Amino acid sequence: GKGGPSWPGVPMTKVEGSTNLYTYTLPTGLEDSNVIFNANGGKMQVPGHNESGLTAPANSKMIYVDGAWKEYVEAGTSKIYFRKPKDWAEPNVYAYKIDGNVDSKVTAGVNAWPGVPMVRVDGTDTLYSYTFSKDCQNINVIFNDKVKDKDGGNQFPDKDAYQLFAGEAKIYDNQSLRNVNADDLKEPQAPAVASQGVTKVYFEKPADWDNVK
């Protein structure tokens, strides 16, 4: 669809320093396309024959790995999403160490209440995100719209916190965190977008695949 290349598609590029990770950046105009990964002249493919392709939203990096299609995050980093309720002001995310986890570490700013402002995702009205650096990983997180040294405001959760680990991309959903999927990156009723950004896809190659496309 959308005037993409003919079957079996175009070769993917092996990610430098990796063993089985390949990538491809969709050309302008193919954002929000469905993609199918294949090899050996199209004889092997994911999703399978007669199955729908995997949607690659605009302004995203997606990866197919271990049977799951999810957002790709750089090694050692992590990313959190939050869909702002109607009665909330601009959301923050606050983080602190996980007790007993020797790999837990936080950076200045994000660990000072009420945390740091989250960034609204392009093309949406209510979806916000924050990417944690390699120096702030394996952490507890709390979402809030509070203002420092002032009463009032909201927070999730009310007690304790949600745990986020290196390499994860999670979204708050129904009082817990879960993996981010392609549908999460769109507004439920998406507003018009003046310009689309690039879309990049990744695929972790099984051992018996060659010439991934």
Side-chain angles (χ1 to χ4, degrees), residues 33-80:
S33 293
N34 289 340
V35 298
I36 295 175
F37 300 102
N38 70 89
N40 302 349
K43 295 178 182 178
M44 309 177 77
Q45 69 177 69
V46 171
H49 184 62
N50 290 331
E51 294 181 7
S52 298
L54 303 166
T55 301
N59 304 302
S60 71
K61 292 182 179 181
M62 303 293 293
I63 184 171
Y64 183 87
V65 59
D66 297 330
W69 181 235
K70 57 186 181 180
E71 182 169 8
Y72 173 81
V73 293
E74 301 293 337
T77 68
S78 59
K79 194 170 185 178
I80 197 76

mmCIF file of all heavy atoms in Angstrom, residues 33-80:
data_model
loop_
_atom_site.group_PDB
_atom_site.id
_atom_site.type_symbol
_atom_site.label_atom_id
_atom_site.label_comp_id
_atom_site.label_asym_id
_atom_site.label_seq_id
_atom_site.Cartn_x
_atom_site.Cartn_y
_atom_site.Cartn_z
ATOM 1 N N SER A 33 2.663 3.185 7.271
ATOM 2 C CA SER A 33 2.495 2.024 6.398
ATOM 3 C C SER A 33 2.512 0.732 7.207
ATOM 4 O O SER A 33 2.935 0.704 8.369
ATOM 5 C CB SER A 33 3.615 1.981 5.355
ATOM 6 O OG SER A 33 3.534 3.036 4.442
ATOM 7 N N ASN A 34 2.050 -0.344 6.575
ATOM 8 C CA ASN A 34 2.215 -1.680 7.135
ATOM 9 C C ASN A 34 3.475 -2.300 6.540
ATOM 10 O O ASN A 34 3.750 -2.127 5.349
ATOM 11 C CB ASN A 34 1.012 -2.571 6.820
ATOM 12 C CG ASN A 34 -0.216 -2.161 7.600
ATOM 13 O OD1 ASN A 34 -0.109 -1.472 8.619
ATOM 14 N ND2 ASN A 34 -1.384 -2.570 7.144
ATOM 15 N N VAL A 35 4.245 -2.996 7.362
ATOM 16 C CA VAL A 35 5.488 -3.597 6.889
ATOM 17 C C VAL A 35 5.458 -5.112 7.093
ATOM 18 O O VAL A 35 4.819 -5.622 8.016
ATOM 19 C CB VAL A 35 6.721 -2.995 7.601
ATOM 20 C CG1 VAL A 35 6.830 -1.512 7.312
ATOM 21 C CG2 VAL A 35 6.658 -3.232 9.099
ATOM 22 N N ILE A 36 6.150 -5.808 6.194
ATOM 23 C CA ILE A 36 6.328 -7.263 6.278
ATOM 24 C C ILE A 36 7.814 -7.543 6.135
ATOM 25 O O ILE A 36 8.457 -7.056 5.191
ATOM 26 C CB ILE A 36 5.541 -7.998 5.175
ATOM 27 C CG1 ILE A 36 4.035 -7.791 5.374
ATOM 28 C CG2 ILE A 36 5.879 -9.488 5.173
ATOM 29 C CD1 ILE A 36 3.186 -8.381 4.245
ATOM 30 N N PHE A 37 8.380 -8.268 7.062
ATOM 31 C CA PHE A 37 9.782 -8.668 6.990
ATOM 32 C C PHE A 37 9.862 -10.026 6.294
ATOM 33 O O PHE A 37 9.030 -10.912 6.545
ATOM 34 C CB PHE A 37 10.383 -8.760 8.390
ATOM 35 C CG PHE A 37 10.326 -7.459 9.149
ATOM 36 C CD1 PHE A 37 9.360 -7.244 10.127
ATOM 37 C CD2 PHE A 37 11.227 -6.443 8.883
ATOM 38 C CE1 PHE A 37 9.305 -6.052 10.832
ATOM 39 C CE2 PHE A 37 11.175 -5.236 9.580
ATOM 40 C CZ PHE A 37 10.216 -5.045 10.552
ATOM 41 N N ASN A 38 10.859 -10.197 5.434
ATOM 42 C CA ASN A 38 10.980 -11.482 4.732
ATOM 43 C C ASN A 38 12.428 -11.757 4.384
ATOM 44 O O ASN A 38 13.288 -10.864 4.446
ATOM 45 C CB ASN A 38 10.096 -11.496 3.488
ATOM 46 C CG ASN A 38 10.609 -10.568 2.410
ATOM 47 O OD1 ASN A 38 11.414 -10.970 1.559
ATOM 48 N ND2 ASN A 38 10.169 -9.296 2.429
ATOM 49 N N ALA A 39 12.709 -12.984 3.996
ATOM 50 C CA ALA A 39 14.061 -13.391 3.640
ATOM 51 C C ALA A 39 13.991 -14.563 2.666
ATOM 52 O O ALA A 39 12.907 -15.099 2.389
ATOM 53 C CB ALA A 39 14.850 -13.788 4.891
ATOM 54 N N ASN A 40 15.151 -14.929 2.147
ATOM 55 C CA ASN A 40 15.263 -16.064 1.228
ATOM 56 C C ASN A 40 14.323 -15.910 0.044
ATOM 57 O O ASN A 40 13.560 -16.820 -0.315
ATOM 58 C CB ASN A 40 15.000 -17.388 1.941
ATOM 59 C CG ASN A 40 15.938 -17.629 3.109
ATOM 60 O OD1 ASN A 40 16.915 -16.912 3.274
ATOM 61 N ND2 ASN A 40 15.650 -18.622 3.930
ATOM 62 N N GLY A 41 14.352 -14.702 -0.577
ATOM 63 C CA GLY A 41 13.526 -14.468 -1.750
ATOM 64 C C GLY A 41 12.042 -14.421 -1.464
ATOM 65 O O GLY A 41 11.222 -14.670 -2.357
ATOM 66 N N GLY A 42 11.681 -14.086 -0.225
ATOM 67 C CA GLY A 42 10.265 -14.000 0.133
ATOM 68 C C GLY A 42 9.670 -15.306 0.598
ATOM 69 O O GLY A 42 8.464 -15.390 0.866
ATOM 70 N N LYS A 43 10.486 -16.343 0.723
ATOM 71 C CA LYS A 43 9.969 -17.656 1.135
ATOM 72 C C LYS A 43 9.681 -17.710 2.634
ATOM 73 O O LYS A 43 8.895 -18.543 3.089
ATOM 74 C CB LYS A 43 10.966 -18.747 0.745
ATOM 75 C CG LYS A 43 11.154 -18.900 -0.761
ATOM 76 C CD LYS A 43 12.195 -19.970 -1.092
ATOM 77 C CE LYS A 43 12.403 -20.084 -2.597
ATOM 78 N NZ LYS A 43 13.443 -21.097 -2.929
ATOM 79 N N MET A 44 10.343 -16.863 3.404
ATOM 80 C CA MET A 44 10.108 -16.783 4.843
ATOM 81 C C MET A 44 9.666 -15.368 5.161
ATOM 82 O O MET A 44 10.257 -14.405 4.649
ATOM 83 C CB MET A 44 11.371 -17.153 5.620
ATOM 84 C CG MET A 44 11.999 -18.467 5.186
ATOM 85 S SD MET A 44 13.536 -18.844 6.051
ATOM 86 C CE MET A 44 12.881 -19.405 7.613
ATOM 87 N N GLN A 45 8.630 -15.203 5.985
ATOM 88 C CA GLN A 45 8.162 -13.849 6.260
ATOM 89 C C GLN A 45 7.480 -13.738 7.614
ATOM 90 O O GLN A 45 6.998 -14.728 8.174
ATOM 91 C CB GLN A 45 7.194 -13.394 5.167
ATOM 92 C CG GLN A 45 5.865 -14.109 5.161
ATOM 93 C CD GLN A 45 4.924 -13.550 4.103
ATOM 94 O OE1 GLN A 45 5.159 -13.723 2.904
ATOM 95 N NE2 GLN A 45 3.858 -12.892 4.550
ATOM 96 N N VAL A 46 7.487 -12.497 8.134
ATOM 97 C CA VAL A 46 6.786 -12.111 9.364
ATOM 98 C C VAL A 46 6.107 -10.774 9.096
ATOM 99 O O VAL A 46 6.767 -9.833 8.664
ATOM 100 C CB VAL A 46 7.764 -11.956 10.546
ATOM 101 C CG1 VAL A 46 7.057 -11.350 11.745
ATOM 102 C CG2 VAL A 46 8.381 -13.292 10.941
ATOM 103 N N PRO A 47 4.772 -10.678 9.327
ATOM 104 C CA PRO A 47 3.824 -11.731 9.675
ATOM 105 C C PRO A 47 3.721 -12.791 8.566
ATOM 106 O O PRO A 47 4.221 -12.584 7.469
ATOM 107 C CB PRO A 47 2.498 -10.975 9.831
ATOM 108 C CG PRO A 47 2.881 -9.545 10.040
ATOM 109 C CD PRO A 47 4.119 -9.347 9.263
ATOM 110 N N GLY A 48 3.035 -13.881 8.860
ATOM 111 C CA GLY A 48 2.943 -14.992 7.941
ATOM 112 C C GLY A 48 2.125 -14.698 6.700
ATOM 113 O O GLY A 48 1.488 -13.650 6.563
ATOM 114 N N HIS A 49 2.135 -15.632 5.774
ATOM 115 C CA HIS A 49 1.397 -15.509 4.511
ATOM 116 C C HIS A 49 -0.083 -15.261 4.777
ATOM 117 O O HIS A 49 -0.692 -15.909 5.631
ATOM 118 C CB HIS A 49 1.572 -16.792 3.700
ATOM 119 C CG HIS A 49 0.937 -16.742 2.351
ATOM 120 N ND1 HIS A 49 1.318 -15.851 1.383
ATOM 121 C CD2 HIS A 49 -0.074 -17.474 1.825
ATOM 122 C CE1 HIS A 49 0.589 -16.037 0.300
ATOM 123 N NE2 HIS A 49 -0.269 -17.017 0.534
ATOM 124 N N ASN A 50 -0.651 -14.284 4.058
ATOM 125 C CA ASN A 50 -2.063 -13.892 4.178
ATOM 126 C C ASN A 50 -2.400 -13.202 5.501
ATOM 127 O O ASN A 50 -3.580 -13.018 5.819
ATOM 128 C CB ASN A 50 -3.008 -15.085 3.972
ATOM 129 C CG ASN A 50 -3.017 -15.572 2.530
ATOM 130 O OD1 ASN A 50 -2.788 -14.787 1.606
ATOM 131 N ND2 ASN A 50 -3.267 -16.863 2.330
ATOM 132 N N GLU A 51 -1.376 -12.838 6.287
ATOM 133 C CA GLU A 51 -1.611 -12.067 7.508
ATOM 134 C C GLU A 51 -1.318 -10.594 7.245
ATOM 135 O O GLU A 51 -0.508 -10.251 6.377
ATOM 136 C CB GLU A 51 -0.717 -12.572 8.649
ATOM 137 C CG GLU A 51 -1.040 -13.983 9.102
ATOM 138 C CD GLU A 51 -0.162 -14.432 10.251
ATOM 139 O OE1 GLU A 51 0.603 -13.593 10.775
ATOM 140 O OE2 GLU A 51 -0.236 -15.616 10.626
ATOM 141 N N SER A 52 -2.001 -9.717 7.970
ATOM 142 C CA SER A 52 -1.812 -8.278 7.795
ATOM 143 C C SER A 52 -0.406 -7.856 8.228
ATOM 144 O O SER A 52 0.182 -8.451 9.142
ATOM 145 C CB SER A 52 -2.840 -7.499 8.617
ATOM 146 O OG SER A 52 -4.156 -7.788 8.187
ATOM 147 N N GLY A 53 0.127 -6.824 7.572
ATOM 148 C CA GLY A 53 1.438 -6.306 7.942
ATOM 149 C C GLY A 53 1.415 -5.611 9.287
ATOM 150 O O GLY A 53 0.356 -5.365 9.879
ATOM 151 N N LEU A 54 2.591 -5.258 9.777
ATOM 152 C CA LEU A 54 2.748 -4.577 11.058
ATOM 153 C C LEU A 54 2.754 -3.070 10.822
ATOM 154 O O LEU A 54 3.531 -2.567 10.003
ATOM 155 C CB LEU A 54 4.055 -5.005 11.718
ATOM 156 C CG LEU A 54 4.216 -6.515 11.950
ATOM 157 C CD1 LEU A 54 5.664 -6.853 12.273
ATOM 158 C CD2 LEU A 54 3.293 -6.984 13.055
ATOM 159 N N THR A 55 1.904 -2.336 11.526
ATOM 160 C CA THR A 55 1.797 -0.892 11.319
ATOM 161 C C THR A 55 2.982 -0.166 11.944
ATOM 162 O O THR A 55 3.308 -0.382 13.111
ATOM 163 C CB THR A 55 0.488 -0.354 11.916
ATOM 164 O OG1 THR A 55 -0.615 -1.010 11.294
ATOM 165 C CG2 THR A 55 0.369 1.146 11.670
ATOM 166 N N ALA A 56 3.617 0.697 11.139
ATOM 167 C CA ALA A 56 4.750 1.511 11.599
ATOM 168 C C ALA A 56 4.308 2.962 11.665
ATOM 169 O O ALA A 56 4.304 3.659 10.655
ATOM 170 C CB ALA A 56 5.933 1.347 10.652
ATOM 171 N N PRO A 57 3.889 3.463 12.830
ATOM 172 C CA PRO A 57 3.368 4.833 12.942
ATOM 173 C C PRO A 57 4.404 5.886 12.570
ATOM 174 O O PRO A 57 5.615 5.656 12.686
ATOM 175 C CB PRO A 57 2.989 4.940 14.428
ATOM 176 C CG PRO A 57 2.892 3.542 14.910
ATOM 177 C CD PRO A 57 3.881 2.758 14.117
ATOM 178 N N ALA A 58 3.924 7.038 12.129
ATOM 179 C CA ALA A 58 4.821 8.158 11.861
ATOM 180 C C ALA A 58 5.560 8.557 13.125
ATOM 181 O O ALA A 58 5.075 8.363 14.240
ATOM 182 C CB ALA A 58 4.025 9.345 11.322
ATOM 183 N N ASN A 59 6.765 9.107 12.955
ATOM 184 C CA ASN A 59 7.577 9.592 14.081
ATOM 185 C C ASN A 59 7.896 8.497 15.085
ATOM 186 O O ASN A 59 7.895 8.730 16.294
ATOM 187 C CB ASN A 59 6.871 10.744 14.811
ATOM 188 C CG ASN A 59 6.526 11.887 13.892
ATOM 189 O OD1 ASN A 59 7.408 12.455 13.261
ATOM 190 N ND2 ASN A 59 5.252 12.215 13.789
ATOM 191 N N SER A 60 8.138 7.290 14.603
ATOM 192 C CA SER A 60 8.371 6.189 15.541
ATOM 193 C C SER A 60 9.576 5.351 15.123
ATOM 194 O O SER A 60 10.052 5.435 13.989
ATOM 195 C CB SER A 60 7.133 5.281 15.625
ATOM 196 O OG SER A 60 6.979 4.538 14.421
ATOM 197 N N LYS A 61 10.066 4.571 16.095
ATOM 198 C CA LYS A 61 11.041 3.521 15.838
ATOM 199 C C LYS A 61 10.444 2.253 16.424
ATOM 200 O O LYS A 61 10.197 2.179 17.625
ATOM 201 C CB LYS A 61 12.387 3.828 16.493
ATOM 202 C CG LYS A 61 13.134 5.000 15.889
ATOM 203 C CD LYS A 61 14.492 5.202 16.561
ATOM 204 C CE LYS A 61 15.255 6.359 15.943
ATOM 205 N NZ LYS A 61 16.587 6.536 16.579
ATOM 206 N N MET A 62 10.189 1.262 15.579
ATOM 207 C CA MET A 62 9.551 0.027 16.013
ATOM 208 C C MET A 62 10.488 -1.153 15.756
ATOM 209 O O MET A 62 11.305 -1.128 14.831
ATOM 210 C CB MET A 62 8.236 -0.188 15.262
ATOM 211 C CG MET A 62 7.229 0.942 15.392
ATOM 212 S SD MET A 62 6.572 1.143 17.051
ATOM 213 C CE MET A 62 5.625 -0.389 17.233
ATOM 214 N N ILE A 63 10.346 -2.206 16.582
ATOM 215 C CA ILE A 63 11.168 -3.394 16.412
ATOM 216 C C ILE A 63 10.308 -4.644 16.555
ATOM 217 O O ILE A 63 9.396 -4.694 17.388
ATOM 218 C CB ILE A 63 12.329 -3.430 17.433
ATOM 219 C CG1 ILE A 63 13.232 -4.643 17.175
ATOM 220 C CG2 ILE A 63 11.817 -3.402 18.871
ATOM 221 C CD1 ILE A 63 14.521 -4.636 17.996
ATOM 222 N N TYR A 64 10.612 -5.643 15.723
ATOM 223 C CA TYR A 64 9.996 -6.964 15.880
ATOM 224 C C TYR A 64 11.046 -7.868 16.493
ATOM 225 O O TYR A 64 12.098 -8.132 15.893
ATOM 226 C CB TYR A 64 9.545 -7.529 14.533
ATOM 227 C CG TYR A 64 8.832 -8.859 14.666
ATOM 228 C CD1 TYR A 64 7.461 -8.905 14.905
ATOM 229 C CD2 TYR A 64 9.523 -10.054 14.585
ATOM 230 C CE1 TYR A 64 6.801 -10.116 15.055
ATOM 231 C CE2 TYR A 64 8.885 -11.261 14.737
ATOM 232 C CZ TYR A 64 7.517 -11.293 14.970
ATOM 233 O OH TYR A 64 6.872 -12.494 15.124
ATOM 234 N N VAL A 65 10.779 -8.345 17.705
ATOM 235 C CA VAL A 65 11.736 -9.201 18.403
ATOM 236 C C VAL A 65 10.978 -10.127 19.343
ATOM 237 O O VAL A 65 10.011 -9.730 19.991
ATOM 238 C CB VAL A 65 12.776 -8.346 19.182
ATOM 239 C CG1 VAL A 65 12.097 -7.436 20.195
ATOM 240 C CG2 VAL A 65 13.818 -9.229 19.858
ATOM 241 N N ASP A 66 11.399 -11.384 19.369
ATOM 242 C CA ASP A 66 10.787 -12.383 20.254
ATOM 243 C C ASP A 66 9.274 -12.460 20.063
ATOM 244 O O ASP A 66 8.516 -12.609 21.027
ATOM 245 C CB ASP A 66 11.108 -12.075 21.726
ATOM 246 C CG ASP A 66 12.608 -12.150 22.019
ATOM 247 O OD1 ASP A 66 13.295 -12.931 21.341
ATOM 248 O OD2 ASP A 66 13.079 -11.435 22.908
ATOM 249 N N GLY A 67 8.835 -12.345 18.813
ATOM 250 C CA GLY A 67 7.420 -12.486 18.507
ATOM 251 C C GLY A 67 6.569 -11.276 18.814
ATOM 252 O O GLY A 67 5.343 -11.341 18.701
ATOM 253 N N ALA A 68 7.200 -10.150 19.201
ATOM 254 C CA ALA A 68 6.438 -8.954 19.585
ATOM 255 C C ALA A 68 6.844 -7.770 18.715
ATOM 256 O O ALA A 68 8.012 -7.606 18.356
ATOM 257 C CB ALA A 68 6.668 -8.626 21.053
ATOM 258 N N TRP A 69 5.871 -6.916 18.396
ATOM 259 C CA TRP A 69 6.081 -5.678 17.634
ATOM 260 C C TRP A 69 5.922 -4.531 18.621
ATOM 261 O O TRP A 69 4.845 -4.282 19.127
ATOM 262 C CB TRP A 69 5.045 -5.600 16.525
ATOM 263 C CG TRP A 69 5.084 -4.430 15.596
ATOM 264 C CD1 TRP A 69 4.042 -3.578 15.337
ATOM 265 C CD2 TRP A 69 6.149 -4.001 14.746
ATOM 266 N NE1 TRP A 69 4.411 -2.657 14.393
ATOM 267 C CE2 TRP A 69 5.708 -2.878 14.010
ATOM 268 C CE3 TRP A 69 7.469 -4.449 14.549
ATOM 269 C CZ2 TRP A 69 6.506 -2.211 13.087
ATOM 270 C CZ3 TRP A 69 8.272 -3.785 13.625
ATOM 271 C CH2 TRP A 69 7.792 -2.688 12.909
ATOM 272 N N LYS A 70 7.018 -3.852 18.939
ATOM 273 C CA LYS A 70 6.982 -2.844 19.988
ATOM 274 C C LYS A 70 7.952 -1.724 19.664
ATOM 275 O O LYS A 70 8.722 -1.808 18.695
ATOM 276 C CB LYS A 70 7.336 -3.467 21.336
ATOM 277 C CG LYS A 70 8.704 -4.156 21.374
ATOM 278 C CD LYS A 70 8.917 -4.873 22.687
ATOM 279 C CE LYS A 70 10.285 -5.538 22.744
ATOM 280 N NZ LYS A 70 10.483 -6.245 24.037
ATOM 281 N N GLU A 71 7.917 -0.664 20.487
ATOM 282 C CA GLU A 71 8.809 0.462 20.234
ATOM 283 C C GLU A 71 10.257 0.078 20.520
ATOM 284 O O GLU A 71 10.556 -0.614 21.490
ATOM 285 C CB GLU A 71 8.419 1.684 21.062
ATOM 286 C CG GLU A 71 9.321 2.867 20.761
ATOM 287 C CD GLU A 71 8.822 4.171 21.335
ATOM 288 O OE1 GLU A 71 7.856 4.137 22.105
ATOM 289 O OE2 GLU A 71 9.405 5.209 21.017
ATOM 290 N N TYR A 72 11.141 0.555 19.658
ATOM 291 C CA TYR A 72 12.573 0.317 19.818
ATOM 292 C C TYR A 72 13.185 1.422 20.674
ATOM 293 O O TYR A 72 12.924 2.607 20.453
ATOM 294 C CB TYR A 72 13.245 0.304 18.441
ATOM 295 C CG TYR A 72 14.757 0.223 18.480
ATOM 296 C CD1 TYR A 72 15.391 -0.995 18.661
ATOM 297 C CD2 TYR A 72 15.538 1.371 18.337
ATOM 298 C CE1 TYR A 72 16.773 -1.078 18.699
ATOM 299 C CE2 TYR A 72 16.919 1.298 18.373
ATOM 300 C CZ TYR A 72 17.529 0.068 18.545
ATOM 301 O OH TYR A 72 18.903 -0.010 18.583
ATOM 302 N N VAL A 73 13.983 1.053 21.652
ATOM 303 C CA VAL A 73 14.729 2.023 22.449
ATOM 304 C C VAL A 73 16.212 1.693 22.367
ATOM 305 O O VAL A 73 16.595 0.528 22.262
ATOM 306 C CB VAL A 73 14.263 2.044 23.925
ATOM 307 C CG1 VAL A 73 12.850 2.570 24.041
ATOM 308 C CG2 VAL A 73 14.361 0.657 24.557
ATOM 309 N N GLU A 74 17.039 2.724 22.383
ATOM 310 C CA GLU A 74 18.483 2.525 22.306
ATOM 311 C C GLU A 74 18.977 1.707 23.501
ATOM 312 O O GLU A 74 18.433 1.792 24.601
ATOM 313 C CB GLU A 74 19.199 3.876 22.279
ATOM 314 C CG GLU A 74 18.817 4.781 21.115
ATOM 315 C CD GLU A 74 19.265 4.246 19.772
ATOM 316 O OE1 GLU A 74 20.221 3.431 19.745
ATOM 317 O OE2 GLU A 74 18.675 4.634 18.745
ATOM 318 N N ALA A 75 20.017 0.918 23.263
ATOM 319 C CA ALA A 75 20.556 0.048 24.303
ATOM 320 C C ALA A 75 20.912 0.851 25.553
ATOM 321 O O ALA A 75 21.554 1.898 25.475
ATOM 322 C CB ALA A 75 21.792 -0.680 23.781
ATOM 323 N N GLY A 76 20.468 0.352 26.699
ATOM 324 C CA GLY A 76 20.800 0.984 27.973
ATOM 325 C C GLY A 76 19.873 2.095 28.397
ATOM 326 O O GLY A 76 19.952 2.566 29.526
ATOM 327 N N THR A 77 18.981 2.551 27.494
ATOM 328 C CA THR A 77 18.034 3.596 27.846
ATOM 329 C C THR A 77 16.657 2.984 28.089
ATOM 330 O O THR A 77 16.452 1.780 27.918
ATOM 331 C CB THR A 77 17.923 4.663 26.744
ATOM 332 O OG1 THR A 77 17.306 4.077 25.578
ATOM 333 C CG2 THR A 77 19.303 5.189 26.362
ATOM 334 N N SER A 78 15.703 3.797 28.480
ATOM 335 C CA SER A 78 14.316 3.353 28.634
ATOM 336 C C SER A 78 13.403 4.540 28.372
ATOM 337 O O SER A 78 13.840 5.688 28.392
ATOM 338 C CB SER A 78 14.064 2.769 30.034
ATOM 339 O OG SER A 78 14.343 3.726 31.034
ATOM 340 N N LYS A 79 12.126 4.247 28.114
ATOM 341 C CA LYS A 79 11.189 5.307 27.755
ATOM 342 C C LYS A 79 9.842 5.042 28.401
ATOM 343 O O LYS A 79 9.394 3.888 28.479
ATOM 344 C CB LYS A 79 11.042 5.386 26.229
ATOM 345 C CG LYS A 79 10.359 6.641 25.724
ATOM 346 C CD LYS A 79 10.480 6.727 24.203
ATOM 347 C CE LYS A 79 9.915 8.030 23.662
ATOM 348 N NZ LYS A 79 10.072 8.138 22.187
ATOM 349 N N ILE A 80 9.200 6.112 28.856
ATOM 350 C CA ILE A 80 7.906 5.982 29.527
ATOM 351 C C ILE A 80 6.897 6.893 28.828
ATOM 352 O O ILE A 80 7.240 7.980 28.374
ATOM 353 C CB ILE A 80 8.033 6.347 31.024
ATOM 354 C CG1 ILE A 80 6.842 5.833 31.813
ATOM 355 C CG2 ILE A 80 8.248 7.831 31.232
ATOM 356 C CD1 ILE A 80 6.899 4.350 32.076
#
